[in-house]
Amino acid sequence: MTKDQSKDQSKERAEERSQERSTVAVLGPGGVGGLLAALVARAGHRVICLAGDETARALRTDGIRVRSGRFGDFTAAVEADTELREPVDACLITVKHTALDAALERVRPEVLGDGLLVPFLNGVEHPATLRARYGAARVAPAVIRVESTRTAPGVVEHGSPFAEIDLTGESVPRGRLDALAGVLAAAGPTGPTGPTGPTVRVVDDEAATLWAKMSFLAPFALLTTRYGVALGEVRTRHREELTALVAETAAVSRACGAPADPAVALARYDAFPPDTKSSMQRDAEAGRPLELDAIGGALLRAADRHGVSVPVARGLVRELEEPEEPEELEGNRRH
């Protein structure tokens, strides 16, 4: 049997398993987690959302309401609890990195069983942390490209015309990844050829998958947050700094074994709508904790490990760690 034939058979088995009823937990049913929970539940799978008391009560009562140009407007019934109380096939982690430690208290390793733990987190360091706690064979990192916002507990607005997932996991059997990919990909409205959910790929190279997102996210997040402006203004008024930061991030990515092309990254930025904001910028505007350590800090630590010079990134992280003090009014100044 050829390698391609083996992959085809594995894919066929995954598609068959995706038709079976799975049990999926979602830790943090916010913009991304709420959308995935609702889609998977609508496809007929059992979904258990893990959240605080108020959110859990709202989800148990009203379900998750989704407004989406791609997936339609619908309400999906889900279960909800404050912690995982039984084994599941997979647990999707969709909290912000700043809330990860506290959120993991809701998913005890002995309760998870042999279920897959699937973190949709920014950064590149979290897989090692999760593997130390849950075991290598249970952690399958994922990257999602989507614009989805929780406007109230159990209310999600999916604004982008796309929802794309890359699923990986260097220590997870390929068949398990294919099975979960089948569940996620089928979680959408039925089209001429069957259910159409998010676009899902299973990717062999974990480092390349995580750094592909990091290489795009770090310059975007650091610059929009530092200057408090949308992407359009960053790529015009701060073009030189953007170009330098993209080159630094690509150099670190390559040193970590993940190819990156600065020209491709700049072209992607130029293709985005000018009013696009990063999630870190939105957190800063709302006064929420920033994922600065998971993004900027992780970039600097990787650069230090591999001896890559990143002066622009280092300066931006320092400025975001120590924001400038506002100037005092003339009458309040001390002399």
Side-chain angles (χ1 to χ4, degrees):
M1 180 184 296
T2 68
K3 185 176 180 180
D4 287 342
Q5 288 173 327
S6 178
K7 283 189 174 182
D8 287 343
Q9 286 191 2
S10 178
K11 184 176 180 181
E12 288 174 4
R13 287 193 296 269
E15 289 173 349
E16 290 172 359
R17 285 192 292 269
S18 73
Q19 303 304 315
E20 301 173 359
R21 193 168 190 257
S22 298
T23 299
V24 177
V26 177
L27 179 61
V32 171
L35 176 65
L36 294 177
L39 289 171
V40 172
R42 185 172 67 168
H45 300 286
R46 183 184 175 208
V47 174
I48 306 170
C49 292
L50 306 175
D53 286 321
E54 181 182 352
T55 298
R57 280 195 299 270
L59 298 185
R60 283 195 295 265
T61 303
D62 301 321
I64 300 177
R65 288 166 285 169
V66 173
R67 291 191 289 268
S68 170
R70 172 168 176 174
F71 300 120
D73 297 349
F74 66 96
T75 298
V78 297
E79 298 176 38
D81 207 334
T82 56
E83 65 177 278
L84 188 65
R85 303 181 190 276
E86 61 183 275
V88 294
D89 295 301
C91 178
L92 314 184
I93 301 178
T94 54
V95 298
K96 289 289 184 78
H97 204 288
T98 51
L100 180 61
D101 289 341
L104 290 179
E105 294 301 315
R106 304 186 191 278
V107 184
R108 299 194 306 277
E110 64 272 18
V111 177
L112 179 63
D114 67 348
L116 286 184
L117 201 69
V118 187
F120 289 83
L121 291 168
N122 291 326
V124 294
E125 296 176 335
H126 56 274
T129 300
L130 294 172
R131 285 176 177 132
R133 180 168 180 161
Y134 294 93
R138 291 194 287 183
V139 178
V143 168
I144 187 167
R145 289 173 288 277
V146 70
E147 182 183 342
S148 187
T149 305
R150 188 190 87 152
T151 57
V155 181
V156 174
E157 291 189 0
H158 171 218
S160 59
F162 54 84
E164 302 170 349
I165 296 171
D166 287 345
L167 183 62
T168 184
E170 57 190 14
S171 303
V172 179
R174 176 62 184 249
R176 299 201 69 187
L177 296 177
D178 287 336
L180 178 58
V183 169
L184 296 172
T190 301
T193 59
T196 56
T199 301
V200 185
R201 299 188 309 158
V202 176
V203 185
D204 293 330
D205 193 330
E206 180 177 312
T209 301
L210 296 176
W211 274 101
K213 181 173 183 180
M214 182 72 149
S215 298
F216 177 82
L217 178 63
F220 176 37
L222 294 176
L223 287 170
T224 55
T225 307
R226 168 63 183 87
Y227 294 111
V229 297
L231 180 58
E233 197 164 343
V234 164
R235 66 193 184 205
T236 53
R237 288 182 56 193
H238 304 282
R239 183 78 180 191
E240 184 175 347
E241 197 170 4
L242 173 63
T243 302
L245 185 55
V246 167
E248 289 180 3
T249 308
V252 176
S253 179
R254 288 194 295 270
C256 293
D261 186 338
V264 172
L266 285 171
R268 286 186 64 197
Y269 293 129
D270 288 337
F272 269 62
D275 59 350
T276 303
K277 293 183 177 183
S278 68
S279 60
M280 186 190 289
Q281 179 186 0
R282 294 185 187 278
D283 286 339
E285 292 172 346
R288 294 188 291 262
L290 304 184
E291 292 186 299
L292 182 59
D293 186 66
I295 298 172
L299 177 64
L300 299 187
R301 287 188 287 273
D304 290 342
R305 283 197 304 273
H306 294 281
V308 179
S309 177
V310 288
V312 175
R314 201 171 298 279
L316 285 166
V317 171
R318 182 173 58 249
E319 290 167 357
L320 287 167
E321 288 175 335
E322 303 173 359
E324 295 178 2
E325 293 291 334
E327 292 186 6
E328 296 178 297
L329 296 176
E330 188 68 30
N332 292 335
R333 286 180 182 166
R334 294 184 179 181
H335 298 282

